[in-house]
Amino acid sequence: MPTNKSNGISNNVPPTKLERRLRDRLLRKTSKEPYPNEATDTNRGTEPFEDEGDNLGTSHVEQNSEADAIQGVHGEMCEKQEARPTRQRLLVVANRLPVSAIRRGEATWSLEISAGGLVSALLGCVKKFEARWIGWAGVNVPDEAGQRALTTALAEKMCIPVFLDEDIVHQYYNGYCNNILWPLFHYLGLPQEDRLATTRSFQSQFDAYKKANQMFADVVNEHYVEGDVVWCHDYHLMFLPECLKKYNSEMKVGWFLHTPFPSSEIHRTLPSRSELLRSVLAADLVGFHTYDYARHFVSACTRILGLEGTPEGVENQGRLTRVAAFPIGIDSLRFIRALETSQVQERINELKRTFAGRKVMLGVDRLDMIKGIPQKILAFEKFLEENSEWQQKVVLLQIAVPTRTDVPEYQKLTSQVHEIVGRINGRFGTLTTVPIHHLDRSLDFQALCALYAVTDVALVTSLRDGMNLVSYEFVACQESKKGVLILSEFAGAAQSLGAGAILVNPWNITEVASSIAQALNMQPEEREKRHKHNFEHVRNHTAQLWAETFVSELNETVVEADIRKRKVPPKLIPENAIKRYMESNNRLLILGFNATLTEPVDTSGRRGGDQIKEMHLKLHPELKGPLTALCRDQKTTIVVLSGSDRSVLDHVLHVSSSTELWGVRHVVSSRKWDVFTSHQRGMDDNNARAFKHGVGWQCRHVFEYFTERTPRSHYDRRGTSLVWNYKYADVEFGKIQARDLLQHLWTGPISNASVDVVQGSRSVEVRAVGVTKGAAIDRILGEIVHSKSMTSPIDYVLCAGHFLGKDEDVYTFFEPEPLSDDINMGKGKGTEALKVSSVEKKSSSKVPASKSGSSKSSSHGKTQQRPLPNSDKRTTPNNNSSGSGSGSGRRPSPEKISWNVLDLKGENYFSCAVGRTRTKARFTFGTSDDVISFLNELAADSSSGTSI
């Protein structure tokens, strides 16, 4: 793969995130220079891409009249890029290219640059990046000769085409994008006219959508150079990030949505909701115009996919997808300088003469259902009704650019608007004047700037709008008149310009009419204050800043992801672990139960998971064979640790239920399962009973109370702990209830109790002090030594499980030496204590030291050695090595033993976290399937007796 050498991370990268962002901000401020041809580029328009989303530009100009000027700017951009090849490459991927192609002959094409908000925004950042645009040219080119000719012509404009056939365009663009996603994202819901037909066609449209996204990905992959930044745009390409990451997981991928993102309750109605969310989450950075949209996206991921939402974004198995708001802007300088030209000044003077003595109100919109044009006109009618003195003193100029004129819904909207306008003009108009001037057409750039400049009140009544840049353009042209902006609270711009604008609910006709009266009667001092606030924002938050900020944040996100990735333990290499296993003489395998030995539950696409299946776990169907084979190995001891209720393990593992189950191990000499009682967890029977009948009983009532109050929550009673689980409850409500539960516990049952409170991601556990899996292992070692009459130390340990953070001391228990920071996420304070002899690191209440107490760790701390626990203080509860049924046999006297329980070298210890990446373990397993697969390999080699 070719390499873009300029795209690597600099050796002088500041060490902290804050320092890197301050550096980028300083560089942006110090590198500000005029845009290409900025001094003379006053004719460039910002015609929106039709049906490309609300925020790809909302100014309306005539494309052909501006094409020459834009082509000159774009050509200069290309020349500058060729002259400066060391800049970071930026691949902009959007549904449409910024050009319109017209075929003039078999191998001849003419190109006209389209003008849109996205085009204008990205033209502003070409100084910093070597940009290439990938997208559909908007025409069907079935022949190879035509495709080659068009590709060559577009290459001169730094554009790369994606060729889509007519069927794909119909199903993907007209069908799924415009008929399914666009209405849903604007809260219009799914199609309702013919539900049966919609259901039948939905799958074919969705298949075409995925196919089209894969075709875009193929073109990106073909032109990708290592280190490139790939920036995907809008709802047309929600599948693209996943396609790109499958091709190259190291690719820098960002995705930006130019429309609103609906609340999770709206998005969950989409049949393909989960697939789209997971595909977008494959990107490194996901951007939206406002915080509300970003919050809705994170909420959808947590409520629909069951993932963890954080202030930074969405986390899934240790991988963080950054989610943030990046409000787009405009090139405000271009509008300000356009007002100084003679052409615009002439039009301004002409408009002033035409509307002399009348206040001018302006609306500029696409003729679309979401723009609220009927609501705007009806509110203006109500204003005229209630304020008769203004009937001959104000005029509303409504520019409505036609769009999708072949769609019946849009044709109906056009007729409705014309009917309302005619009725109002007939009611309030005269022979010489009418209150509403309605134009079904676009305006050129000079005419639009002049119209903005003479306007007293701009009226934006969008029912849903991703951003709406008309409000920005109006403010940029109002430095002289300082007009008032009435802005819908449902437009994204309301979050940026809300302080200086009058915010309204466009559905409330009375409120909008009152706001019109307020704006027309506003005092000059207040008008100036409002305008000053908004003008500063528009001037500083430009389109160039938007693009540079997003790409800079994407680069920053990749740096942080690399740092996190270095802290994630690697996958276990089975060959190495099996080789060490075969070379050892006394092996200990410690296995967790839940999510380690159980059958995986497929809950993909289920909201909150399949609670019944997950609560009633089954042993993995392929476990019995390898476990039986390993148990027959005289050199191997297996321990199963679980925090599950005793009855669960009794049923699943078919062991005796006469004593309380903590861990289960197979004793080779007696060929049966033995059970460890509560005192072997690291606490004696008295303490266990005290917890169960004391603080545990009191906490139980609190847990029962919150279980009744929280739907789909449940709690488990265990011998030495109580666990309240709200994994399946509503995410936000569950968190609130958990905080409330903790407050009740701390001020009530456990206020003066000696207990530990463990907070999981979606659980709260109250357990007796010192009850951890690490403490249990310390006791279990003594039982193993006595039951098997060991004559040699344990020289191989494999510990695998899906344990809570507080139980991960089981990993560090056997650690011969500290792990490097590159592998480990961080150690607890108890970790270092495990590197010295048991006399120095364990109290007598856990593993008693031998009388001599002279055993030490080997030199350099590379071997973990542990003296045999003193057996004189208690007997094993199980059968001894001689097979006595009474279970009262004593261990060999410590004076007769001259070896340690553990003689473990670092290369013979394998700690593995299952399904967790933030862990103290050395290695990881993905799922229980990986664990069983490894045990199968281990059993096969153990049975054959051959060394790897």
Side-chain angles (χ1 to χ4, degrees):
M1 180 183 296
T3 302
N4 184 1
K5 296 181 179 179
S6 66
N7 294 345
I9 299 173
S10 171
N11 294 330
N12 297 323
V13 174
T16 67
K17 181 177 180 179
L18 178 60
E19 290 175 345
R20 289 192 294 269
R21 289 185 173 178
L22 291 176
R23 178 204 60 177
D24 291 343
R25 182 174 181 271
L26 180 61
L27 289 175
R28 283 197 298 268
K29 293 182 70 174
T30 56
S31 63
K32 283 185 177 179
E33 54 186 88
Y35 290 177
N37 203 23
E38 185 176 61
T40 58
D41 178 27
T42 58
N43 299 323
R44 187 152 51 90
T46 53
E47 177 86 21
F49 291 131
E50 186 173 332
D51 303 326
E52 285 290 294
D54 307 312
N55 311 309
L56 301 186
T58 50
S59 296
H60 307 280
V61 296
E62 293 183 355
Q63 175 178 312
N64 294 339
S65 64
E66 311 303 328
D68 293 339
I70 299 173
Q71 189 168 0
V73 173
H74 198 70
E76 185 172 350
M77 175 189 76
C78 301
E79 293 175 3
K80 288 197 172 187
Q81 288 175 342
E82 293 174 357
R84 301 167 63 182
T86 60
R87 294 169 296 171
Q88 185 175 33
R89 290 204 344 155
L90 175 64
L91 301 182
V92 178
V93 191
N95 177 64
R96 291 290 298 270
L97 289 173
V99 298
S100 297
I102 302 175
R103 194 163 192 170
R104 302 298 185 186
E106 182 177 350
T108 307
W109 293 85
S110 66
L111 303 177
E112 295 179 349
I113 303 295
S114 302
L118 181 58
V119 180
S120 301
L122 293 173
L123 284 177
C125 67
V126 298
K127 303 185 303 297
K128 189 173 181 180
F129 305 103
E130 183 184 350
R132 283 169 173 75
W133 198 304
I134 298 175
W136 176 48
V139 292
N140 181 33
V141 190
D143 58 299
E144 293 186 4
Q147 291 182 5
R148 287 194 299 269
L150 181 57
T151 300
T152 301
L154 289 171
E156 298 178 0
K157 308 298 181 185
M158 308 301 287
C159 294
I160 302 168
V162 177
F163 295 104
L164 306 175
D165 59 50
E166 289 184 351
D167 182 62
I168 288 290
V169 170
H170 175 70
Q171 296 267 16
Y172 145 74
Y173 181 66
N174 298 326
Y176 196 77
C177 291
N178 288 340
N179 196 42
I180 302 294
L181 291 182
W182 190 90
L184 186 76
F185 282 13
H186 290 85
Y187 292 79
L188 299 179
L190 296 174
Q192 300 292 323
E193 293 82 3
D194 186 345
R195 299 192 180 198
L196 182 60
T198 299
T199 302
R200 288 174 176 173
S201 64
F202 174 83
Q203 189 58 48
S204 63
Q205 292 178 1
F206 185 55
D207 292 340
Y209 181 84
K210 292 191 290 185
K211 182 178 180 180
N213 275 247
Q214 184 59 55
M215 295 172 71
F216 275 85
D218 293 339
V219 175
V220 174
N221 296 336
E222 181 182 350
H223 294 85
Y224 174 78
V225 175
E226 184 178 352
D228 284 358
V229 171
V230 183
W231 192 0
C232 312
H233 288 270
D234 231 354
Y235 57 92
H236 311 87
L237 302 176
M238 294 182 73
F239 248 96
L240 186 56
E242 183 178 49
C243 296
L244 295 176
K245 286 292 187 176
K246 285 181 178 179
Y247 171 78
N248 184 351
S249 61
E250 302 299 321
M251 188 181 295
K252 300 178 184 178
V253 179
W255 182 80
F256 192 90
L257 182 65
H258 292 271
T259 68
F261 191 89
S263 71
S264 59
E265 293 303 302
I266 298 295
H267 184 77
R268 64 183 293 211
T269 64
L270 185 66
S272 55
R273 59 190 186 181
S274 299
E275 292 179 84
L276 291 178
L277 289 176
R278 292 189 187 279
S279 300
V280 171
L281 287 176
D284 298 294
L285 176 63
V286 176
F288 300 90
H289 281 304
T290 71
Y291 171 74
D292 283 346
Y293 307 155
R295 176 172 53 85
H296 289 162
F297 178 79
V298 173
S299 177
C301 292
T302 57
R303 294 176 182 271
I304 296 174
L305 301 181
L307 302 179
E308 190 70 23
T310 71
E312 293 292 313
V314 179
E315 187 172 353
N316 183 16
Q317 293 297 323
R319 183 185 184 276
L320 177 68
T321 299
R322 179 101 162 83
V323 180
F326 302 91
I328 198 172
I330 64 170
D331 182 1
S332 55
L333 277 178
R334 186 165 62 88
F335 285 87
I336 295 172
R337 291 177 177 174
L339 298 178
E340 300 172 359
T341 62
S342 58
Q343 300 97 321
V344 175
Q345 285 296 321
E346 289 177 4
R347 298 197 180 198
I348 290 176
N349 294 331
E350 181 182 350
L351 289 171
K352 287 181 177 180
R353 289 192 297 269
T354 301
F355 300 110
R358 306 175 75 183
K359 294 286 186 178
V360 177
M361 297 178 57
L362 176 65
V364 180
D365 307 278
R366 288 202 321 269
L367 191 53
D368 203 316
M369 277 89 70
I370 66 165
K371 294 300 181 179
I373 297 177
Q375 287 81 359
K376 179 190 306 183
I377 299 174
L378 290 173
F380 182 65
E381 179 184 29
K382 186 171 184 61
F383 164 76
L384 295 178
E385 289 176 352
E386 296 177 348
N387 301 271
S388 56
E389 70 278 9
W390 281 99
Q391 291 178 3
Q392 303 302 319
K393 298 180 181 179
V394 64
V395 59
L396 172 62
L397 308 180
Q398 177 62 53
I399 312 299
V401 180
T403 177
R404 302 181 69 182
T405 53
D406 57 335
V407 179
E409 290 81 1
Y410 286 79
Q411 295 172 354
K412 183 178 178 181
L413 175 65
T414 302
S415 299
Q416 179 187 10
V417 170
H418 289 172
E419 179 183 349
I420 297 174
V421 170
R423 175 170 55 80
I424 295 175
N425 282 341
R427 180 181 178 186
F428 297 103
T430 66
L431 291 176
T432 58
T433 61
V434 292
I436 300 177
H437 290 251
H438 180 86
L439 276 73
D440 284 332
R441 52 161 293 184
S442 60
L443 297 179
D444 61 56
F445 182 65
Q446 292 90 349
L448 190 63
C449 289
L451 202 52
Y452 282 142
V454 300
T455 298
D456 295 281
V457 178
L459 196 53
V460 178
T461 55
S462 304
L463 307 181
R464 289 285 171 185
D465 228 342
M467 179 56 74
N468 193 294
L469 297 181
V470 164
S471 53
Y472 279 65
E473 295 167 357
F474 167 74
V475 171
C477 295
Q478 283 288 312
E479 182 62 16
S480 172
K481 199 158 192 176
K482 298 178 175 54
V484 180
L485 173 64
I486 299 176
L487 181 60
S488 167
E489 63 186 48
F490 299 116
Q495 293 197 10
S496 303
L497 305 179
I502 300 176
L503 297 183
V504 296
N505 176 3
W507 295 99
N508 189 339
I509 303 300
T510 302
E511 179 187 357
V512 178
S514 299
S515 298
I516 293 175
Q518 177 187 353
L520 291 174
N521 292 295
M522 187 176 293
Q523 295 300 314
E525 295 80 6
E526 184 179 352
R527 292 165 64 107
E528 183 172 359
K529 289 178 182 178
R530 288 176 177 269
H531 170 75
K532 181 179 179 181
H533 185 280
N534 283 347
F535 185 76
E536 287 297 318
H537 180 87
V538 171
R539 186 176 63 178
N540 294 328
H541 295 79
T542 63
Q544 177 185 1
L545 178 64
W546 166 76
E548 290 185 359
T549 301
F550 185 91
V551 177
S552 174
E553 190 70 24
L554 177 55
N555 284 319
E556 173 66 28
T557 299
V558 172
V559 171
E560 294 175 358
D562 289 339
I563 295 174
R564 285 193 300 271
K565 190 181 299 183
R566 287 196 295 268
K567 295 180 179 179
V568 174
K571 295 278 188 181
L572 177 70
I573 301 175
E575 292 77 9
N576 187 32
I578 295 174
K579 177 183 178 182
R580 297 292 179 181
Y581 176 90
M582 299 301 298
E583 294 174 350
S584 57
N585 296 314
N586 194 352
R587 307 123 176 184
L588 175 62
L589 305 184
I590 303 172
L591 303 174
F593 178 69
N594 291 357
T596 304
L597 302 181
T598 56
E599 185 178 11
V601 178
D602 183 13
T603 59
S604 58
R606 293 180 178 269
R607 188 186 187 201
D610 193 322
Q611 184 172 356
I612 300 300
K613 287 186 177 180
E614 293 188 27
M615 289 179 63
H616 298 84
L617 297 173
K618 296 180 180 179
L619 211 59
H620 199 287
E622 300 179 13
L623 174 64
K624 184 176 180 180
L627 202 59
T628 301
L630 290 171
C631 286
R632 291 186 183 134
D633 189 344
Q634 299 291 332
K635 298 180 179 180
T636 303
T637 302
I638 299 178
V639 172
V640 178
L641 291 179
S642 177
S644 297
D645 187 71
R646 179 184 66 184
S647 60
V648 175
L649 296 183
D650 285 348
H651 174 72
V652 175
L653 295 175
H654 306 291
V655 299
S656 171
S657 60
S658 59
T659 56
E660 182 183 0
L661 183 63
W662 168 259
V664 182
R665 63 179 175 83
H666 188 276
V667 181
V668 179
S669 60
S670 60
R671 297 292 192 273
K672 71 174 184 179
W673 291 99
D674 280 348
V675 180
F676 296 139
T677 53
S678 60
H679 72 273
Q680 292 162 335
R681 298 190 184 192
M683 63 183 301
D684 57 33
D685 293 327
N686 293 331
N687 289 338
R689 283 192 294 270
F691 174 84
K692 184 175 182 179
H693 299 292
V695 65
W697 177 263
Q698 299 174 37
C699 292
R700 174 185 171 184
H701 295 293
V702 178
F703 278 40
E704 288 176 345
Y705 173 70
F706 278 90
T707 300
E708 294 172 358
R709 288 182 57 190
T710 312
R712 297 192 69 181
S713 68
H714 65 279
Y715 82 98
D716 298 325
R717 287 178 290 171
R718 302 170 185 174
T720 53
S721 67
L722 289 172
V723 182
W724 183 68
N725 191 305
Y726 59 95
K727 174 182 178 181
Y728 311 102
D730 179 88
V731 177
E732 299 300 326
F733 184 60
K735 290 179 179 178
I736 294 172
Q737 292 293 82
R739 288 196 294 266
D740 200 10
L741 180 145
L742 287 171
Q743 184 177 4
H744 276 72
L745 290 176
W746 286 118
T747 58
I750 66 173
S751 57
N752 296 312
S754 180
V755 295
D756 287 332
V757 177
V758 181
Q759 287 185 261
S761 60
R762 296 182 186 178
S763 66
V764 176
E765 179 179 3
V766 177
R767 58 167 67 162
V769 171
V771 176
T772 66
K773 289 180 171 60
I777 285 295
D778 213 356
R779 291 280 182 171
I780 290 172
L781 279 177
E783 298 295 326
I784 293 174
V785 172
H786 175 57
S787 298
K788 297 188 67 174
S789 299
M790 288 175 52
T791 58
S792 62
I794 297 172
D795 57 355
Y796 178 95
V797 174
L798 182 138
C799 181
H802 183 85
F803 301 131
L804 291 175
K806 189 160 186 177
D807 286 327
E808 287 204 342
D809 57 350
V810 70
Y811 297 140
T812 58
F813 184 89
F814 296 98
E815 195 64 61
E817 58 185 345
L819 297 181
S820 65
D821 290 338
D822 289 342
I823 297 178
N824 204 336
M825 291 293 291
K827 298 292 184 182
K829 293 182 179 180
T831 305
E832 294 300 325
L834 297 174
K835 314 304 181 294
V836 297
S837 69
S838 64
V839 176
E840 297 171 343
K841 70 183 185 63
K842 286 291 178 183
S843 66
S844 59
S845 64
K846 293 184 180 178
V847 181
S850 63
K851 292 182 179 180
S852 63
S854 60
S855 298
K856 300 288 182 181
S857 297
S858 64
S859 61
H860 308 297
K862 294 184 178 180
T863 302
Q864 169 78 341
Q865 295 185 347
R866 182 182 300 278
L868 177 69
N870 192 338
S871 62
D872 294 335
K873 296 186 178 180
R874 69 173 186 274
T875 62
T876 177
N878 307 312
N879 294 356
N880 57 24
S881 59
S882 64
S884 172
S886 64
S888 60
R890 294 186 177 274
R891 303 173 190 163
S893 173
E895 288 82 0
K896 298 179 180 180
I897 299 178
S898 60
W899 47 269
N900 294 307
V901 177
L902 291 177
D903 187 17
L904 190 61
K905 296 181 180 179
E907 58 269 22
N908 277 11
Y909 175 52
F910 299 88
S911 55
C912 309
V914 182
R916 295 173 64 94
T917 54
R918 291 187 177 182
T919 176
K920 297 177 182 179
R922 292 182 168 200
F923 306 98
T924 61
F925 281 119
T927 64
S928 60
D929 287 335
D930 298 331
V931 178
I932 303 306
S933 176
F934 170 76
L935 292 178
N936 269 308
E937 295 183 47
L938 200 63
D941 285 279
S942 177
S943 300
S944 64
T946 59
S947 179
I948 301 297

